[in-house]
Amino acid sequence: MKRIVTVQDISCVGKCSLTVALPIISAMGVETAIIPTAVLSTHTMFSEFTCKDLTDQVEPITAHWKREKLDFDAIYTGYLASEEQIELLKKMFADFKTEKNLIVVDPAMADNGKLYPAFDEKFAKKMAELCGCADMILPNITEASFMTGIEYREKYDEAYVKEMLLALAKLGAKTVILTGVSFKEGTTGVMGYDSVTGEFHYYCHTKHAKSYHGTGDVFSSTFVGAMMNELNWKEAIKIAADYTAECIYVTMNDKDGCWYGVNFETAIPGLLKALDK
Ligand code: PXL
């Protein structure tokens, strides 16, 4: 069985970060170790939240794992709580990188043109450095804009997206995947760029009328799970984007669907069918 470690917060209520990554990646048949970066009462889109930072746990946990000679087929980071944590993760990447494993960074810090409440532009620049240490990165357009300095736009064309992908690749990752890319009303999708082959690839699907928090984490978790099931990045994009869209669809059609996150749970059987599991 493949084993990955995912490093992100626990939002106790909120259907994001670890409470999404753990069930999804585990359901995809992959052992999912975790490093919680912080414990929050809810995610930060609620009007208030508590937050216990766990930066001081990262080093002792990884030092113990080294003594146990543990290794990982992938390291996947999401929402991080501090610049100090980013520095610690750069060191962790160097310590746990092998010839075969995959380092995936989702720079979960912004959406809709704005940074999340806990972050500033200095944090975004630091996150760009972490992206430079990864094999694959999964930003949305807002995050890409903060990391590359390219102006954020709501309306754009293919040239803008390609310019952004090339600027992201310059940070250092081999494969860059931009989420939430929409060229036509009623559709949205994901565009990736492989800096080794020079290939761009766009996958597009129906855009549902509603959006929810945590869907970036659903996409990234599914993407990592699919990569660990031996899919290539283009196949992994499709599985992850289709599942994320289905999660939105089932939530919209649930009269009890809640605003703060999607019903990813009820869509898991369909995900496993798509994976042929
Ligand atoms: O990636 C979404 C996310 C994760 N963790 C926390 C958040 C958010 C989005 O707002 O606040 C704590």
Side-chain angles (χ1 to χ4, degrees):
M1 184 181 276
K2 290 264 170 77
R3 174 171 58 224
I4 71 129
V5 55
T6 181
V7 186
Q8 37 191 326
D9 72 279
I10 298 179
S11 290
C12 297
V13 168
K15 298 204 195 201
C16 67
S17 40
L18 282 182
T19 62
V20 160
L22 251 177
I24 292 176
I25 302 171
S26 300
M28 294 171 90
V30 178
E31 179 184 345
T32 309
I34 61 166
I35 300 181
T37 56
V39 179
L40 294 88
S41 52
T42 63
H43 63 53
T44 61
M45 296 297 142
F46 282 73
S47 58
E48 59 168 297
F49 55 90
T50 68
C51 180
K52 169 75 178 166
D53 184 286
L54 297 173
T55 303
D56 66 357
Q57 295 302 302
V58 175
E59 212 280 325
I61 290 171
T62 53
H64 176 208
W65 288 350
K66 271 284 156 201
R67 292 193 297 278
E68 300 286 345
K69 300 198 171 18
L70 286 162
D71 56 15
F72 300 95
D73 295 295
I75 303 171
Y76 154 42
T77 71
Y79 186 103
L80 302 177
S82 63
E83 286 180 43
E84 195 188 340
Q85 260 174 23
I86 294 179
E87 278 307 310
L88 287 168
L89 282 169
K90 278 195 215 164
K91 183 171 175 307
M92 186 208 175
F93 288 179
D95 287 348
F96 285 85
K97 183 67 194 156
T98 65
E99 258 172 41
K100 291 188 313 190
N101 72 1
L102 194 65
I103 297 184
V104 182
V105 171
D106 175 354
M109 61 181 170
D111 207 359
N112 301 314
K114 280 201 250 142
L115 287 162
Y116 294 149
F119 304 129
D120 58 18
E121 295 207 12
K122 199 158 147 271
F123 181 90
K125 292 284 171 242
K126 204 86 200 142
M127 187 60 94
E129 289 176 20
L130 190 67
C131 283
C133 304
D135 299 307
M136 298 187 139
I137 59 172
L138 306 168
N140 60 35
I141 293 182
T142 306
E143 289 153 351
S145 159
F146 278 105
M147 292 196 294
T148 60
I150 296 173
E151 182 196 6
Y152 173 78
R153 289 202 218 141
E154 272 172 16
K155 288 229 174 319
Y156 46 78
D157 57 11
E158 199 173 299
Y160 171 83
V161 174
K162 286 188 169 170
E163 182 195 352
M164 212 160 228
L165 285 166
L166 292 171
L168 286 166
K170 274 209 185 121
L171 298 176
K174 173 178 170 284
T175 311
V176 296
I177 289 161
L178 202 51
T179 60
V181 176
S182 169
F183 297 118
K184 219 171 68 191
E185 221 174 282
T187 72
T188 189
V190 182
M191 194 185 280
Y193 170 64
D194 181 329
S195 64
V196 172
T197 62
E199 185 184 11
F200 290 95
H201 173 75
Y202 183 53
Y203 178 69
C204 145
H205 56 84
T206 302
K207 182 178 174 140
H208 295 305
K210 283 184 86 171
S211 61
Y212 295 88
H213 295 299
T215 48
D217 298 339
V218 171
F219 176 84
S220 297
S221 301
T222 314
F223 178 84
V224 170
M227 292 298 296
M228 291 297 104
N229 275 272
E230 314 292 352
L231 272 64
N232 66 43
W233 66 270
K234 289 179 275 183
E235 294 165 335
I237 280 176
K238 178 178 175 356
I239 290 262
D242 287 347
Y243 174 61
T244 307
E246 179 64 13
C247 288
I248 293 170
Y249 183 76
V250 295
T251 312
M252 283 167 57
N253 288 295
D254 174 5
K255 65 175 176 28
D256 299 320
C258 51
W259 67 270
Y260 58 74
V262 285
N263 293 8
F264 71 91
E265 302 90 339
T266 46
I268 282 180
L271 168 63
L272 301 189
K273 222 176 264 164
L275 250 194
D276 208 14
K277 282 223 164 229

